[in-house]
Amino acid sequence: MRTNTALLNCAGSWLGLGHTVKSNNLFGRLAENWPGVLLWLAVMPLAALGQSDYATPYTFTTLAGVAGYAGSADGTNSAAQFYNPVGVAVDTNGSLYVADNLNQTIRKVAADGTVTTLAGLAGHAGSADGPGSVARFNHPCDLALDSKGNLYVADCVNCTIRKVAPVGTNWVVTTLAGLGGADANYHPLHPGSTDGTNSAARFYYPWGVAVDANGNVYVPDQGNCTIRRVTPVGTNWVVTTLAGKVGVAGSVDGTGSAARFTEPRGVAVDSAGNVYVSDSDNDTIRKVAPVGTNWVVTTLAGLGGADAGGNPLHPGSADGTNSAARFSNPLGMAVDSAGSLYVSDCYNSTIRRVAPVGTNWVVTTLAGLAGSIGDADGTGSAAQFYNPAGVAMDSAGNLYVGDLYNNTIRKGLPASSVPSPVLQRPSLSAGQFGFGITGLPGLPVNIESSGDLSQWQVVGECILEGGTNYYSVGADPSLGAQFYRAQVR
């Protein structure tokens, strides 16, 4: 975790009596009178942070990796490294699985931020099946979990769909569909669009993957501009094309092959079997719904279309309803139990929600600020990303993001559910007074002061670490009564 060591200092003797801050408005206070000084502590509510443009702002922290540093090291939190992490999936225990694209590996991030490598060998591309580091991948882009804990991987440059299954303490990789292999320039040896069984089927740069309750795997076949399904039949896997027409890009809604996509990438499936797609180069969110034996495609949000050069006609970042909303290369996607979609809007470096409201779909921005690239943890527009790619949601409504060019894994909590920091009673020692703060590791906090409780100025900032974080300042009697607050930003 990043820490401003100039502002987090041990000062004096810290008392063990704490005060948990909750409720709203000015949450609560601790006050002590010393000569010329009144110290008043409060943790400000997230609703006070100017997020009126966000229906449900999320507070994001960095779970693992270090922004700006690519690598393959296993470890805990900032001791771990990634190299362009893309797809993410989360299990019922809060463990996260990551398609670490340029490391050619599949990684696991435990709930405490401890990272291990499950399969593949960093820096070694290939297509070999096998256990652990014997297996090889070639730019894995996305993964999904089934109810038994098996992982399904869209192995993009291999043009295959892989399975990574737990066997004892090992993870064993097998190829379910497609035929792998690539040349020295990472061009696939066996691309295609053929439906069929196991290795007789062909894909062309499959990007996303999702699995339903019956074990069917759904794949946006990016290069073919189609949506495919990989169905278990006995010990075999049968590939069929549900929607789109091979090699024909477009944005038309319709049934089966009458529909058109342009390089679809992200995918999610709900409990009713509806498939949702990030139609990336159309800058739209699409729905592929089963109707009898057909699959009907509709556009939920954004506005598609491209010019003669294949450039999108309507990219943007606007929140809004249906076609009034705008995206810019939406990638990863997740769906919650209420049917709301969560999308990593890659080129905008934001996280968006697409929620059903009656027969409409309303898009809001949960975190990040369009056009603002960075790695800052924070709430709503104060959080920053650098081309976020994968997104996953757990049963508690927490979001996980593969922050592609930051080489980090981010975790987002609904702002209303962020555990309130605990303020330790202040102390005064040798002309210094201060207080301790404990709270969610990675939570960004501003320290602000005021002489009149109306005009506040930031006097320090920190990213909370585990344990107690200390803030201290020299007491200046000439300032008169001073009030201090810790504000989650």
Side-chain angles (χ1 to χ4, degrees):
M1 297 293 180
R2 297 181 302 280
T3 305
N4 189 331
T5 55
L7 298 175
L8 298 179
N9 302 295
C10 292
S13 175
W14 295 97
L15 303 181
L17 180 62
H19 178 75
T20 302
V21 179
K22 48 189 176 182
S23 156
N24 50 27
N25 199 1
L26 295 181
F27 275 179
R29 65 185 181 183
L30 295 172
E32 296 289 341
N33 281 286
W34 293 308
V37 176
L38 173 65
L39 175 63
W40 186 89
L41 303 180
V43 174
M44 294 299 293
L46 294 166
L49 302 184
Q51 299 300 326
S52 59
D53 292 336
Y54 297 85
T56 308
Y58 267 64
T59 297
F60 271 88
T61 62
T62 301
L63 181 60
V66 181
Y69 291 90
S72 60
D74 288 340
T76 301
N77 302 128
S78 60
Q81 293 177 319
F82 298 86
Y83 194 5
N84 284 16
V86 183
V88 291
V90 62
D91 67 18
T92 55
N93 298 316
S95 293
L96 193 71
Y97 300 86
V98 181
D100 198 1
N101 184 267
L102 290 185
N103 273 325
Q104 320 292 358
T105 55
I106 305 301
R107 318 283 293 278
K108 179 179 179 179
V109 186
D112 67 353
T114 299
V115 178
T116 53
T117 300
L118 304 183
L121 186 62
H124 294 270
S127 60
D129 289 341
S133 60
V134 173
R136 295 289 184 269
F137 298 89
N138 203 327
H139 294 78
C141 283
D142 197 13
L143 39 69
L145 272 166
D146 68 14
S147 60
K148 298 178 181 178
N150 299 304
L151 290 166
Y152 299 86
V153 178
D155 197 3
C156 188
V157 174
N158 272 323
C159 296
T160 54
I161 306 303
R162 317 286 291 278
K163 181 178 180 180
V164 186
V167 179
T169 58
N170 295 316
W171 291 78
V172 178
V173 179
T174 54
T175 301
L176 305 183
L179 187 60
D183 64 22
N185 295 315
Y186 300 104
H187 298 139
L189 294 177
H190 306 286
S193 60
T194 305
D195 287 341
T197 301
N198 302 336
S199 61
R202 293 289 186 272
F203 298 87
Y204 192 20
Y205 294 120
W207 180 282
V209 63
V211 60
D212 68 16
N214 297 316
N216 298 301
V217 179
Y218 298 87
V219 180
D221 197 0
Q222 176 189 203
N224 281 321
C225 296
T226 55
I227 309 302
R228 318 285 290 280
R229 183 174 66 184
V230 187
T231 303
V233 179
T235 59
N236 294 314
W237 293 82
V238 178
V239 179
T240 54
T241 300
L242 305 182
K245 187 172 182 180
V246 173
V248 182
S251 59
V252 177
D253 289 340
T255 301
S257 60
R260 296 289 183 269
F261 301 86
T262 303
E263 297 199 14
R265 296 189 179 104
V267 63
V269 58
D270 67 18
S271 59
N274 297 302
V275 178
Y276 302 90
V277 176
S278 294
D279 196 3
S280 299
D281 276 19
N282 271 321
D283 296 324
T284 55
I285 305 303
R286 316 287 291 278
K287 181 179 180 179
V288 187
V291 179
T293 58
N294 296 315
W295 291 81
V296 178
V297 179
T298 54
T299 301
L300 305 183
L303 188 59
D307 63 20
N311 302 303
L313 289 175
H314 306 288
S317 61
D319 288 341
T321 301
N322 303 336
S323 61
R326 295 289 184 270
F327 299 86
S328 187
N329 193 37
L331 291 182
M333 180 182 288
V335 60
D336 68 16
S337 59
S340 292
L341 305 173
Y342 299 82
V343 180
S344 55
D345 196 2
C346 183
Y347 289 170
N348 280 322
S349 288
T350 55
I351 307 301
R352 317 286 293 279
R353 182 178 66 182
V354 187
V357 179
T359 58
N360 294 315
W361 292 80
V362 178
V363 178
T364 54
T365 302
L366 303 182
L369 181 64
S372 177
I373 292 172
D375 57 61
D377 290 330
T379 300
S381 60
Q384 291 179 312
F385 303 88
Y386 193 178
N387 288 18
V391 63
M393 171 170 276
D394 66 20
S395 58
N398 301 313
L399 286 170
Y400 301 83
V401 174
D403 198 356
L404 185 69
Y405 291 146
N406 275 325
N407 297 310
T408 56
I409 305 301
R410 314 288 291 278
K411 181 178 181 179
L413 292 78
S416 58
S417 72
V418 174
S420 298
V422 177
L423 304 180
Q424 309 296 329
R425 186 171 294 279
S427 70
L428 180 66
S429 176
Q432 294 271 325
F433 68 84
F435 52 91
I437 311 171
T438 59
L440 178 71
L443 192 67
V445 174
N446 282 343
I447 308 299
E448 300 182 349
S449 70
S450 174
D452 57 9
L453 286 177
S454 63
Q455 300 296 319
W456 293 89
Q457 62 178 348
V458 176
V459 295
E461 60 182 33
C462 64
I463 303 293
L464 296 186
E465 293 187 335
T468 301
N469 302 259
Y470 297 111
Y471 179 79
S472 65
V473 64
D476 184 355
S478 67
L479 295 176
Q482 286 294 300
F483 302 86
Y484 287 81
R485 70 184 185 188
Q487 185 181 53
V488 179
R489 64 175 192 270

